[in-house]
Structures are given as structure tokens and as C-alpha cells.
Amino acid sequence: MDPLRTEDEQVEALRRWWDENGKSTIAAIVLALSAGFGWQGWQSYQEEQRALASDVYQNLLEALAGADQGLVDLAEARELAGQLKREHMGSTYAQFAALQLARIAVEERNLTTAEAELRWVLEKAGKGSDIAQVTELRLARVLASGGDAEQALAILDGAGDSPYAASYESARGDILLAQGKESEAREAYIRARNFAAANPARPPINLLEQKIQALNPVPERELAPLPEVSELTVEESEEPVADAEPEG
């Protein structure tokens, strides 16, 4: 077989393949490169947005500190928190901002606003995440303060074996105690103490111990009978009575 003919046939076959598939191959390469550069661009954009959100949140914290010291009005802090929620809705910083707004609302006794902010966080946060569990704890306390203890307790049922189980049980105990259910509250505090003994994310054990001891039933002590009072013998005075002087 003529080797040149064979090579010519191979070249011709390659040319035909290129005519049929070359354009699609180039398109695939271009798309792959575009996707690569696009992904890098997206990553760069995301990093830029995170940096912007971080800066705004830092300004929010400074505004809150200034408000605590009476140097600035809370309106500035609210505006910065609103900016984070509008412009960086998908970021964790926006969730932190909503938690700050909820805290302000609680301090102002505006429980409706506090509840709305906390529920907003729960919609955005990943289920079971740290921020979601902290938000549930705060929401339960807000609901209980507003008189909806049953819903508050229902929220606290979802703790499971999470690192926040002790805090959930401690909150449950506080809510039950406020309802006058002292026995159930004590049981919740004991569970909280047991969780706290083995978990880093816990309320202080000494505080739980104080709550448990305060609810311990202490029997009244029987008073010992008083000793019978006997008649006292009046003894002569230690000082002698001066003899009367003899008549002169």
C-alpha cells in the first residue's frame, strides 16, 4: 500500500471531520473558556460584595456603640441595617443586622417588630445552622414575652442533641416558671444542666444550679421545743450590805 496515499486519505478524513465538527469544537472551547472566566468573575464579584457587606456591618456596630453612649441616634443604625438587608440580602451580615434590629425592638418593647425581624432571619438562615438556632432561642423568648408561651415552647422542641440544647432547655425552664409550672421548670433546668456539663455552647452551670436550688422543695424544719423555764433562786448579793454604824 502506498504510504503517501494512506497519509493523504488520513488528512482528507481529518479535513472532513473538521468541516463537520470543527465549528462545534471551537464553540465548545469558547464556551468552556467563557465559563471559566465567568466563574472567576462571579467569584471576584461575590468577594467584593462580601467585603462591602462587612464594611457596612462594621459601620452598623459603630453606630450602635455610639447610640449606647448617647453620641448618635439609633436612626443611623437602623438605616445601615436596612441597607444590609436590601443590598446584601443573601449574606450572613444581613442576618446579623436583622438580629440587631430585633434586639433594638425588644429594648423598645416592640415585640411585633422583633418577631418580624427574627422570622426574617429564619427564612434566610440555613436550617439547623448556628445562627438559626440562636434566632429560634430569641424568637421563643419574644413570643413568651408576648403571651404566646405555647408557640414558644413548640419552637424549643426542635433542639435535639444540638450544641445549643442546654440553652433551649434553660429557656424552656424560664418560660415554664413564668407560667407557674415550677415542677416542669425544675426538670427543664436539670436537663439543661446535664447538657451543659458536656457541651461548650452552654449557659453557665452555676446559674442553672441556682435556679434548680431555688425550686427544690425544702420541708419546713420542726422547731425544737423551748426548755421549761424554772424558777430562779435569788442568791444573796455578792456585795455585803454595810453594817449600821453603832450609836455613839
Side-chain angles (χ1 to χ4, degrees), residues 39-171:
W39 175 251
Q40 292 177 3
W42 173 250
Q43 289 288 86
S44 177
Y45 171 77
Q46 290 289 87
E47 186 62 33
E48 180 183 349
Q49 291 300 304
R50 279 192 291 268
L52 289 173
S54 176
D55 290 342
V56 176
Y57 187 71
Q58 183 60 41
N59 293 336
L60 168 61
L61 294 180
E62 292 173 0
L64 289 170
D68 289 341
Q69 298 173 12
L71 303 177
V72 297
D73 191 85
L74 274 175
E76 181 180 350
R78 286 192 173 97
E79 175 57 33
L80 290 167
Q83 179 183 347
L84 278 168
K85 291 178 66 180
R86 290 190 308 272
E87 300 177 5
H88 306 279
M89 184 181 300
S91 72
T92 305
Y93 292 107
Q95 298 168 26
F96 288 155
L99 288 176
Q100 294 289 358
L101 290 175
R103 180 182 65 82
I104 293 171
V106 168
E107 291 174 353
E108 295 175 344
R109 302 303 299 168
N110 189 344
L111 299 182
T112 300
T113 297
E115 179 183 349
E117 293 293 345
L118 293 171
R119 290 194 182 280
W120 187 90
V121 176
L122 289 178
E123 289 177 1
K124 306 300 179 184
K127 186 174 178 58
S129 63
D130 286 352
I131 192 170
Q133 293 183 82
V134 169
T135 302
E136 285 182 343
L137 279 167
R138 296 186 182 184
L139 179 58
R141 292 189 181 277
V142 166
L143 290 171
S145 296
D148 195 349
E150 294 307 315
Q151 187 176 356
L153 293 172
I155 289 174
L156 296 174
D157 284 339
D161 294 328
S162 78
Y164 295 90
S167 296
Y168 274 62
E169 289 298 332
S170 179

Side-chain angles (χ1 to χ4, degrees), residues 173-242:
D174 292 343
I175 294 170
L176 290 169
L177 184 59
Q179 290 182 302
K181 301 177 180 179
E182 295 186 358
S183 177
E184 294 179 47
R186 182 174 177 273
E187 292 175 2
Y189 290 142
I190 291 174
R191 289 194 298 270
R193 181 190 60 188
N194 294 340
F195 280 124
N199 235 306
R202 59 179 183 260
I205 291 182
N206 59 343
L207 178 59
L208 290 170
E209 290 288 1
Q210 292 173 12
K211 291 181 178 181
I212 293 169
Q213 291 302 319
L215 293 174
N216 271 341
V218 179
E220 294 184 5
R221 291 179 299 175
E222 294 184 1
L223 295 177
L226 293 175
E228 294 183 1
V229 179
S230 59
E231 293 183 0
L232 298 177
T233 302
V234 180
E235 298 179 353
E236 296 181 354
S237 173
E238 295 180 354
E239 290 187 13
V241 178

